Amino acid sequence: MRPRTLKEFAGQQHLLGPGKLLSRAIASDKISSLVLFGPPGTGKTTLATVISQETKSYFEPLNAVTSNVAEIRKAIDDAKKRFQIKNQKTILFIDEIHRFNKAQQDVLMPDIERGNPVLIGATTHNPYFSIVSALLSRSLVFELKPLNEKEIRSVLLRALGDKEKGLGNISVQMEEEALDFLSKICDGDVRRALNALELGVTTTPKEKESVHFTRQVAEESIQKKAVVY
């Protein structure tokens, strides 16, 4: 269910709403290096992939937990060759960028300053404490916020109806109470909500050729009950 376009992207209207800086930069293909930070499940990786598709850039993903300097240098060299041969920019996406040490971050600096590759770093940590100031000064920092209940509900309904990527080929009787529960209990983490929905739909026995998705199924799928005050 990962969005492929900005129209499919849910939430983050403070960044992607009409006239906002990031949406203008994407539309005009004037993306500079970015650092996206926020809680899990708010769309950091998704936003990076959507930006690459909207700007017709090559998407090169690395994970700071497993990558080393040699892999970083290779990705940068490939980006230079790609631009020379195809005239195509590269978006170098580094997940968990706060896990890079100072030496690894310094390797990025000269080429990031020249604009190819375009760095998009994702982190759950405050970048002003975890990323070197020289790299921050060359990047725009955007904070992604947890999705609200209405936004998560819309993503869940889209997943239930999508026959290509979602659960649209399965007949599901979704109770409103179950939908409200999942929208609220996942604390703005849309990945967690989608995982619970998929688990509940695919493991619940069918009744008369359809899955009856109740509040109890929702609680079991997300392994968390509503707190009663």
Side-chain angles (χ1 to χ4, degrees):
M1 288 302 299
R2 190 185 294 281
R4 291 170 290 194
T5 64
L6 281 179
K7 289 182 180 179
E8 295 178 354
F9 196 90
Q12 315 309 331
Q13 287 303 296
H14 64 294
L15 303 178
L16 299 170
K20 298 297 183 182
L21 174 62
L22 187 53
S23 61
R24 297 200 316 268
I26 295 170
S28 60
D29 195 7
K30 297 295 182 183
I31 287 291
S32 61
S33 293
L34 311 174
V35 175
L36 307 174
F37 83 101
T42 52
K44 297 184 292 295
T45 302
T46 296
L47 183 54
T49 58
V50 167
I51 289 172
S52 71
Q53 289 165 1
E54 294 278 345
T55 59
K56 296 180 173 57
S57 302
Y58 185 86
F59 188 71
E60 181 76 61
L62 292 178
N63 191 299
V65 177
T66 56
S67 298
N68 53 37
V69 170
E71 289 178 328
I72 299 169
R73 291 191 188 280
K74 182 180 184 304
I76 291 173
D77 288 341
D78 289 346
K80 291 177 181 177
K81 292 174 184 176
R82 194 174 295 114
F83 188 76
Q84 290 171 353
I85 297 170
K86 299 181 179 180
N87 198 32
Q88 182 185 29
K89 283 188 177 182
T90 297
I91 286 180
L92 178 60
F93 175 71
I94 301 178
D95 201 9
E96 307 288 346
I97 192 171
H98 62 273
R99 303 292 284 272
F100 271 172
N101 59 37
K102 186 178 183 300
Q104 288 170 310
Q105 292 185 39
D106 286 345
V107 169
L108 297 165
M109 303 267 274
D111 295 285
I112 295 305
E113 198 162 22
R114 296 187 189 102
N116 188 47
V118 175
L119 171 69
I120 299 183
T123 176
T124 54
H125 290 51
N126 188 328
Y128 295 103
F129 293 104
S130 56
I131 299 177
V132 296
S133 57
L135 189 57
L136 278 179
S137 70
R138 291 162 175 79
S139 309
L140 292 172
V141 179
F142 292 103
E143 180 180 4
L144 278 70
K145 298 178 180 178
L147 277 69
N148 61 40
E149 293 176 30
K150 183 179 178 181
E151 292 163 345
I152 291 178
R153 184 186 179 93
S154 70
V155 172
L156 294 175
L157 288 172
R158 191 190 307 160
L160 285 169
D162 193 320
K163 293 185 178 181
E164 180 189 353
K165 300 186 294 175
L167 301 164
N169 293 312
I170 303 174
S171 177
V172 181
Q173 289 183 319
M174 172 64 76
E175 289 187 357
E176 286 293 318
E177 191 179 4
L179 198 58
D180 289 340
F181 176 79
L182 284 182
S183 301
K184 183 180 294 184
I185 205 70
C186 64
D187 297 323
D189 185 336
V190 72
R191 184 191 296 110
R192 189 177 174 206
L194 285 170
N195 285 343
L197 178 68
E198 181 182 26
L199 182 63
V201 169
T202 56
T203 60
T204 302
K206 290 185 177 181
E207 299 177 10
K208 298 180 181 180
E209 301 302 317
S210 66
V211 173
H212 189 197
F213 202 105
T214 64
R215 164 71 171 268
Q216 183 181 354
V217 172
E219 290 180 353
E220 290 174 349
S221 299
I222 207 163
Q223 288 294 291
K224 192 170 184 180
K225 291 184 179 293
V227 176
V228 179
Y229 291 96

